Amino acid sequence: MTLSEKRKSAAIKMSKGIEAELNDLKMQSARFSVDFQTKPDVNGAPTQSGARIAFDQNGFDRVEFLIAPNPGEGLKPLAKIASGGETSRLMLGLKNILAKADEVPSLIFDEIDQGIGGRVGMVVGHKLWNLSRTHQVFCVTHLPQLAVFGDQHYQVQKLVDNGRTLTKVDKLEGEPRLLELSQMLGEVGEGTLRSAHELLQLARQMIKSN
């Protein structure tokens, strides 16, 4: 019972924190909650009401994350209704909230840019950078607004040589990085090069003001 009470108390704090994170990530009206259920079991642990409930090494709580992404929608299971973009932002929000308690040293975000645009991309990129202060973060992305926040930037290419498919990885710095960011924005030209430079400058400003 004590463990369950502590879980429910922590869940309230976590829910508020995640809603704040989602607000930053342009999901201002989203609501998040943690649902607790128990399963009856005649051979289970006795409760104060006299009923018996199933339990295992993790206790007797059956926990499920619920979300209401839009106004007027009721809370529903996250696993069933969240879109790709919403799931990406929720995972980032969860990781940011749980960063201090999470003992996993390295985190990999593959295509976290799914379903988000450039404006939200800068916010996501900044949050990923913040997360990298306490964890090693790998991010696979096609969105330049995320890539500009990387402490290190690698270009991954798939090549065919003598009938074999090879993967080439190059570390990009300086001019090559600017060129790659420009290519991520579109066809390389004066406009995309200028935009890539401005994104890098904006990311540096956001990091300095952190």
Side-chain angles (χ1 to χ4, degrees):
M1 291 297 179
T2 301
L3 176 60
S4 183
E5 290 172 0
K6 289 184 176 180
R7 279 176 173 160
K8 290 174 181 175
S9 176
I12 294 173
K13 295 179 182 178
M14 185 181 75
S15 296
K16 291 180 179 179
I18 290 174
E19 286 180 354
E21 290 283 327
L22 294 177
N23 183 69
D24 291 343
L25 294 167
K26 311 304 179 186
M27 291 178 66
Q28 291 90 341
S29 300
R31 291 189 299 130
F32 182 91
S33 181
V34 183
D35 182 49
F36 290 84
Q37 298 290 337
T38 57
K39 181 180 179 181
D41 186 342
V42 293
N43 298 314
T47 64
Q48 293 178 343
S49 65
R52 288 182 174 270
I53 52 179
F55 71 97
D56 56 25
Q57 67 271 23
N58 297 314
F60 54 73
D61 292 312
R62 301 294 187 269
V63 178
E64 187 171 35
F65 290 161
L66 306 177
I67 185 172
N70 304 303
E73 296 181 359
L75 289 162
K76 297 177 182 177
L78 166 62
K80 294 182 180 179
I81 70 163
S83 67
E86 290 166 349
T87 300
S88 296
R89 282 179 270 185
L90 279 162
M91 287 304 299
L92 180 57
L94 276 167
K95 286 298 182 182
N96 269 307
I97 293 298
L98 301 176
K100 293 182 179 180
D102 194 344
E103 297 181 357
V104 178
S106 299
L107 302 172
I108 300 175
F109 292 92
D110 187 7
E111 306 291 356
I112 196 173
D113 51 23
Q114 180 184 355
I116 66 174
R119 184 179 300 177
V120 179
M122 292 300 291
V123 179
V124 173
H126 192 204
K127 286 187 176 292
L128 285 169
W129 184 87
N130 279 323
L131 192 57
S132 72
R133 300 308 94 188
T134 53
H135 296 70
Q136 182 182 38
V137 175
F138 294 91
C139 181
V140 181
T141 183
H142 297 285
L143 198 65
Q145 286 84 354
L146 295 189
V148 291
F149 284 94
D151 293 323
Q152 297 183 51
H153 188 158
Y154 294 88
Q155 180 193 56
V156 181
Q157 298 183 75
K158 189 179 292 185
L159 306 172
V160 178
D161 184 22
N162 292 325
R164 289 192 60 196
T165 301
L166 305 174
T167 300
K168 182 183 179 184
V169 180
D170 293 312
K171 184 177 179 179
L172 303 179
E173 296 177 306
E175 197 67 25
R177 185 184 188 189
L178 187 65
L179 181 62
E180 174 66 11
L181 290 168
S182 178
Q183 290 176 330
M184 294 170 78
L185 285 164
E187 186 175 348
V188 177
E190 183 179 342
T192 54
L193 285 168
R194 183 171 59 251
S195 295
H197 179 73
E198 291 173 352
L199 284 176
L200 280 169
Q201 291 298 108
L202 179 57
R204 289 167 185 163
Q205 292 173 9
M206 292 175 72
I207 288 171
K208 285 181 180 179
S209 64
N210 196 61

